[in-house]
């Protein structure tokens, strides 16, 4: 069995696409997924599955969420091992993170998890929004982001769609907590 983390895009944000996590958990269990648990209200679900094809599993989850909740959402999947690598491979140095923390009005480090690696053209479109305030580094299907003056006022954050790849973003604390929960499931 593989431990997966499903990250739903755009649920329970600003009063839109509301899903109760207890109902989402029941839906995953009804689908035959094992050891299902949710983390906070932003659509994070950990579970085990024997299904090995990520794309098929992702599409099945999106269809079922659409049927049960009447919401069209993108589901981004990562395995527990992939999540561990996300945490281990943060491309920003401790010095860069401390400097960003000193100037930030809120959370400073985020990860945008993409369905697939972006094209060079998408990366070039996004680069127009890199600044002294906001920067990013791409590693495969992850975009690590520093927002020195908070995510809410960031032109980079609102233009991540320039990559032209469906994605969902989580702050660094959530990324670390999900990785820890996945480790516990694997133990």
């Amino acid at each position: 069995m593989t431990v997966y983390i499903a990250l739903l895009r755009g649920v329970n944000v600003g009063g839109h696409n509301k899903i109760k996590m207890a109902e989402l958990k029941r839906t995953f269990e009804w689908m035959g997924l094992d050891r299902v648990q949710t983390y906070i209200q932003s659509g994070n679900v950990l579970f085990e599955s024997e299904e090995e094809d990520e794309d098929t599993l992702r599409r099945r989850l999106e269809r079922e969420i659409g049927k049960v909740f009447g919401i069209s959402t993108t589901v981004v999947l990562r395995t527990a091992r992939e999540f561990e690598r996300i945490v281990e491979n943060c491309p920003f140095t401790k010095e860069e993170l401390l400097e960003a923390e000193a100037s930030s009005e809120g959370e400073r480090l985020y990860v945008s998890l993409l369905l697939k690696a972006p094209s060079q053209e998408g990366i070039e479109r996004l680069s127009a929004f890199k600044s002294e305030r906001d920067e990013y580094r791409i590693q495969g299907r992850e975009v690590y982001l520093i927002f020195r003056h908070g995510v809410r006022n960031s032109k980079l954050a609102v233009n991540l769609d320039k990559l032209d790849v469906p994605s969902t973003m989580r702050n660094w604390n959530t990324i670390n907590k999900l990785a820890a929960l996945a480790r516990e499931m694997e133990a």
Side-chain angles (χ1 to χ4, degrees):
M1 291 264 231
T2 302
V3 173
Y4 284 98
I5 298 100
L7 304 129
L8 284 63
R9 179 186 174 148
V11 299
N12 298 336
V13 177
H16 300 285
N17 295 335
K18 289 187 159 197
I19 297 178
K20 291 184 178 176
M21 293 300 103
E23 293 174 18
L24 184 62
K25 180 181 184 215
R26 280 193 295 275
T27 300
F28 275 56
E29 290 169 341
W30 180 84
M31 293 176 65
L33 303 171
D34 297 314
R35 297 179 62 202
V36 180
Q37 62 178 305
T38 61
Y39 175 68
I40 63 176
Q41 296 297 310
S42 58
N44 306 300
V45 186
L46 297 98
F47 62 94
E48 283 185 336
S49 175
E50 290 181 359
E51 194 163 335
E52 298 204 8
D53 181 55
E54 178 184 313
D55 199 47
T56 301
L57 179 58
R58 179 185 61 78
R59 283 193 298 245
R60 191 165 71 99
L61 290 167
E62 289 173 348
R63 270 193 313 274
E64 197 61 34
I65 290 166
K67 281 195 283 186
V68 172
F69 300 101
I71 293 172
S72 176
T73 186
T74 298
V75 175
V76 175
L77 286 177
R78 294 294 187 271
T79 65
R81 288 187 184 102
E82 288 173 318
F83 242 82
E84 195 62 38
R85 282 193 294 274
I86 290 169
V87 171
E88 290 172 357
N89 295 327
C90 178
F92 293 106
T93 66
K94 287 182 182 178
E95 292 78 22
E96 288 171 311
L97 295 175
L98 287 171
E99 181 270 325
E101 184 176 320
S103 63
S104 181
E105 299 161 7
E107 289 286 337
R108 68 193 183 287
L109 180 58
Y110 285 76
V111 179
S112 182
L113 300 108
L114 311 172
L115 282 185
K116 63 180 183 176
S119 67
Q120 188 58 42
E121 295 81 22
I123 294 169
E124 290 168 11
R125 285 190 300 272
L126 184 63
S127 68
F129 300 96
K130 191 174 185 177
S131 68
E132 289 180 15
R133 295 173 55 152
D134 303 328
E135 67 178 286
Y136 67 89
R137 300 203 180 130
I138 298 174
Q139 292 185 348
R141 299 188 300 165
E142 277 72 52
V143 182
Y144 294 80
L145 302 131
I146 286 185
F147 301 112
R148 289 184 175 84
H149 296 284
V151 68
R152 294 191 192 276
N153 301 316
S154 170
K155 289 182 182 178
L156 179 61
V158 298
N159 283 287
L160 281 170
D161 62 342
K162 301 291 188 219
L163 289 172
D164 203 25
V165 178
S167 66
T168 188
M169 189 165 57
R170 299 294 187 272
N171 68 45
W172 192 243
N173 290 335
T174 298
I175 293 289
N176 277 283
K177 182 63 176 179
L178 289 169
L181 291 169
R183 276 192 303 274
E184 289 173 16
M185 286 180 73
E186 284 196 313

